[in-house]
Amino acid sequence: MKKRVAIVGAGVSGLASIRSCLEEGLEPTCFERSDDIGGLWKFSEHTEEGRASIYRSVFTNSSKEMMCFPDFPYPDDFPNFMHNSKLQEYITSFAKEKNLVKYIQFETFVTSINKYPDFSITGKWEVTTEKNGKKETAVFDAVMICSGHHVYPHLPKDSFPGLNRFKGKCFHSRDYKEPEIWRGKRILVIGLGNSGCDIAAELSHIAQQVIISSRSGSWVMSRVWNDGYPWDMMVITRFQTFLKNNLPTTISDWWYMRQMNARFKHENYGLMPLNGTLRKEPVFNDELPARILCGTVSIKPNVKEFTETSAIFEDGTVFEAIDCVIFATGYGYAYPFLDDSIIKSRNNEVTLYKGIFPPQLEKPTMAVIGLVQSLGAAIPTTDLQARWATQVIKGTCILPSVKDMMDDIDEKMGRKLKLFGSSETIQTDYIVYMDELASFIGAKPNILQLFLKDPRLAIEVFFGPCSPYQFRLVGPGKWSGARNAILTQWDRSLKPMKTRVIGVQKPCLYFRLLRLLGVPILLIALFFVLI
């Protein structure tokens, strides 16, 4: 008999999990509390309890060639960076093409997931759901949790003395939808992440004044990178990852900060991170520096105290007559339908092997999909996570011992502390992580072998963008169109911009290689001369 798998959530993680279950001969049942697929990317006019929420103007930070399902490229005429409605259109097309919707039970809320009495032997779970006020319980051989981590807002009101006296409006960015109601108002945004910067830049066109308060600063990157190409197609490459991870730390840090400051000097704009060498996720905003130059957005340090109508910052300055405070302070990780000790098995910290499997379970029949964050896109990451997880559930792949998994978690926490400044962050190094997962299922491309058998493809794979198609070149789930998709990815990225053709030139990988190698080689040579 086929193993029955319960999947919680029908966003991109849930759809990837349904598809992977079908590829592995498992029987998926997906529970979605809303009436449609898409999760985070399904815009709604109003916030809904237990669901992710976005504002109307959200665009993607990853380009279409870097954020697709690996065997399902976007249409040629889709823009490189898409409005949420365009991405939702793609997600819907994918679900229809792969015939996934029939496995989803909509408007069905998962209320609890508990171990079946004989869990230590069978690894089964009791899943209780509610629909139209009626509860049902069913037994499943495995569970894949795909409900995302942009659902439960982190609103640190206790960290701001006097906020309880503030008489203006105060809410989390999750509740922000569009700017018009704030015309002519004075607005304070707490937080310098993607949402905070997007909202502040948008409001600055109609508000009287917008101030962003930041505790630690952020790197702000543009979607438009060298020669006008999408940033991620130029930055997320195997070659750059190789250099970053193998150059001496001093050189790697210098190079990283040079890249971050290539567009403008962050210290001149009050944006410079307190520790600029940490690889924290940068903010993507093409407009913010211009809004600061125009004076419609100002950057301030952390708020020391609120009064009834104003905010006093740590530098002693005051923002008077505030109409609204928007907390763009991120989200917490919560699964209210699940015992906390399963995900947080030690000291109340999230302990998941490779960000997916709770290591202390007697049977590896639960997987968390989508609870990682990296400089790369979510869709290919969740696709690869789901492919590995379903093989583990099926029994094709075997997890290491509990000790080995916990040792790996500890090692990764130490590395995260060094790279990102926190051992508990869900951030990870995209290409390193993807290769690690791919190696478990035999889907990691062999670069040396490619250079011997297919040099043209090898050059594009190693020096070009690490696009999702690379992880469907070989192994289970191999896609026959992967090679062609890689060799034509630049054509698809340029197609939507050819509305007035003057003459289009694709990037020369050899020239880029020389330009990238030049500075590190000179610095390494100087390093050895000095020592």
Side-chain angles (χ1 to χ4, degrees):
M1 292 179 62
K2 290 183 178 180
K3 288 187 176 180
R4 300 182 66 224
V5 181
I7 297 170
V8 184
V12 293
S13 299
L15 295 176
S17 297
I18 296 171
R19 198 268 287 267
S20 293
C21 282
L22 297 175
E23 286 183 328
E24 294 301 324
L26 305 174
E27 183 182 321
T29 301
C30 180
F31 302 106
E32 169 56 45
R33 68 182 301 159
S34 73
D35 61 358
D36 202 357
I37 61 174
L40 175 68
W41 294 104
K42 176 64 177 178
F43 175 76
S44 172
E45 296 282 353
H46 308 284
T47 55
E48 300 173 31
E49 179 67 25
R51 282 203 68 209
S53 178
I54 57 174
Y55 35 99
R56 188 182 299 276
S57 59
V58 167
F59 279 77
T60 63
N61 291 330
S62 297
S63 65
K64 65 176 183 178
E65 290 303 304
M66 300 296 282
M67 68 174 299
C68 62
F69 285 100
D71 58 344
F72 196 73
Y74 290 85
D76 290 2
D77 60 349
F78 269 43
N80 283 283
F81 295 97
M82 292 162 286
H83 184 257
N84 60 82
S85 60
K86 208 69 176 173
L87 181 54
Q88 179 67 11
E89 182 183 333
Y90 168 80
I91 293 169
T92 301
S93 296
F94 173 77
K96 182 178 180 181
E97 174 71 21
K98 304 299 180 182
N99 198 22
L100 306 180
V101 177
K102 69 179 183 180
Y103 299 97
I104 304 171
Q105 295 184 18
F106 291 105
E107 298 180 316
T108 304
F109 171 51
V110 175
T111 59
S112 67
I113 299 176
N114 297 295
K115 293 178 180 178
Y116 197 60
D118 64 353
F119 178 84
S120 60
I121 300 171
T122 64
K124 291 184 177 182
W125 299 88
E126 282 185 332
V127 178
T128 301
T129 59
E130 183 177 332
K131 183 173 184 176
N132 299 325
K134 181 182 178 182
K135 288 191 175 184
E136 291 185 1
T137 299
V139 178
F140 291 87
D141 296 291
V143 172
M144 300 177 77
I145 300 174
C146 307
S147 51
H149 57 273
H150 294 94
V151 177
Y152 301 98
H154 174 57
L155 196 59
K157 290 185 177 182
D158 293 342
S159 301
F160 297 94
L163 186 61
N164 59 330
R165 303 197 306 269
F166 178 67
K167 292 185 175 180
K169 192 163 180 62
C170 177
F171 60 91
H172 192 272
S173 58
R174 180 176 186 270
D175 296 313
Y176 175 84
K177 290 297 177 180
E178 51 191 343
E180 187 56 39
I181 62 173
W182 304 109
R183 181 175 293 276
K185 303 298 185 182
R186 295 168 63 81
I187 298 167
L188 173 63
V189 177
I190 307 286
L192 194 61
N194 282 303
S195 295
C197 290
D198 277 355
I199 292 170
E202 181 172 74
L203 287 171
S204 70
H205 290 277
I206 62 170
Q208 180 185 336
Q209 180 64 52
V210 178
I211 285 182
I212 301 176
S213 169
S214 173
R215 179 172 295 173
S216 58
S218 289
W219 293 117
V220 179
M221 289 175 63
S222 172
R223 293 176 177 87
V224 185
W225 207 246
N226 296 343
D227 301 322
Y229 294 106
W231 75 270
D232 47 0
M233 294 186 74
M234 305 297 284
V235 171
I236 303 179
T237 72
R238 292 181 177 277
F239 177 66
Q240 286 216 37
T241 297
F242 172 80
L243 287 182
K244 177 184 68 179
N245 292 336
N246 289 280
L247 285 173
T249 303
T250 303
I251 296 174
S252 179
D253 289 346
W254 174 87
W255 187 24
Y256 175 73
M257 293 181 70
R258 182 175 179 270
Q259 280 187 309
M260 294 298 103
N261 274 317
R263 183 182 171 206
F264 66 94
K265 289 190 174 182
H266 283 64
E267 58 265 37
N268 294 348
Y269 288 70
L271 296 166
M272 183 74 179
L274 292 179
N275 189 338
T277 61
L278 292 178
R279 277 23 175 208
K280 290 185 177 180
E281 184 183 18
V283 169
F284 290 91
N285 197 291
D286 302 280
E287 195 179 7
L288 182 64
R291 304 315 297 169
I292 295 173
L293 277 176
C294 293
T296 56
V297 175
S298 300
I299 308 298
K300 289 289 186 178
N302 195 41
V303 174
K304 179 181 178 182
E305 183 183 1
F306 281 96
T307 69
E308 290 184 350
T309 59
S310 63
I312 303 169
F313 300 103
E314 289 182 345
D315 62 0
T317 57
V318 181
F319 186 28
E320 301 277 5
I322 301 173
D323 295 293
C324 173
V325 177
I326 302 175
F327 283 88
T329 45
Y331 295 83
Y333 322 128
Y335 301 103
F337 48 79
L338 190 67
D339 187 336
D340 264 358
S341 65
I342 294 176
I343 304 297
K344 300 177 179 179
S345 61
R346 184 181 62 185
N347 301 328
N348 203 37
E349 61 188 10
V350 176
T351 45
L352 296 172
Y353 180 60
K354 306 304 181 187
I356 300 174
F357 290 102
Q360 304 287 0
L361 289 178
E362 301 97 311
K363 298 290 182 179
T365 55
M366 173 171 284
V368 181
I369 307 299
L371 191 61
V372 297
Q373 194 167 311
S374 71
L375 200 57
I379 291 178
T381 304
T382 59
D383 180 77
L384 200 48
Q385 286 183 319
R387 289 166 66 191
W388 179 42
T390 50
Q391 289 206 27
V392 170
I393 291 169
K394 183 181 178 180
T396 308
C397 289
I398 307 298
L399 294 182
S401 67
V402 173
K403 181 182 182 305
D404 287 345
M405 287 192 283
M406 292 303 298
D407 287 346
D408 183 83
I409 290 170
D410 290 338
E411 189 273 328
K412 291 294 190 299
M413 284 184 171
R415 179 171 173 78
K416 286 179 179 181
L417 183 63
K418 180 180 177 182
L419 285 177
F420 309 117
S422 170
S423 62
E424 297 178 23
T425 181
I426 59 173
Q427 275 189 264
T428 189
D429 186 314
Y430 178 70
I431 294 179
V432 172
Y433 181 69
M434 293 289 279
D435 276 350
E436 196 169 32
L437 297 188
S439 66
F440 291 137
I441 61 173
K444 179 183 175 182
N446 187 318
I447 307 299
L448 179 60
Q449 193 174 81
L450 273 182
F451 270 108
L452 295 174
K453 292 185 175 181
D454 194 340
R456 182 187 173 199
L457 178 62
I459 289 170
E460 195 67 43
V461 166
F462 188 69
F463 295 108
C466 186
S467 49
Y469 320 116
Q470 292 192 14
F471 301 101
R472 291 270 179 177
L473 277 170
V474 296
K478 175 181 177 180
W479 177 44
S480 60
R483 181 183 186 275
N484 183 64
I486 292 170
L487 296 178
T488 56
Q489 56 196 356
W490 291 106
D491 296 324
R492 284 188 302 281
S493 70
L494 293 170
K495 176 67 182 294
M497 298 186 290
K498 292 182 182 180
T499 52
R500 177 176 175 260
V501 180
I502 305 300
V504 178
Q505 185 176 6
K506 289 186 286 186
C508 175
L509 294 182
Y510 297 106
F511 176 74
R512 283 186 58 217
L513 173 60
L514 290 173
R515 185 166 61 181
L516 284 168
L517 278 174
V519 173
I521 287 174
L522 287 174
L523 287 170
I524 292 171
L526 181 62
F527 174 79
F528 282 111
V529 168
L530 292 176
I531 62 172

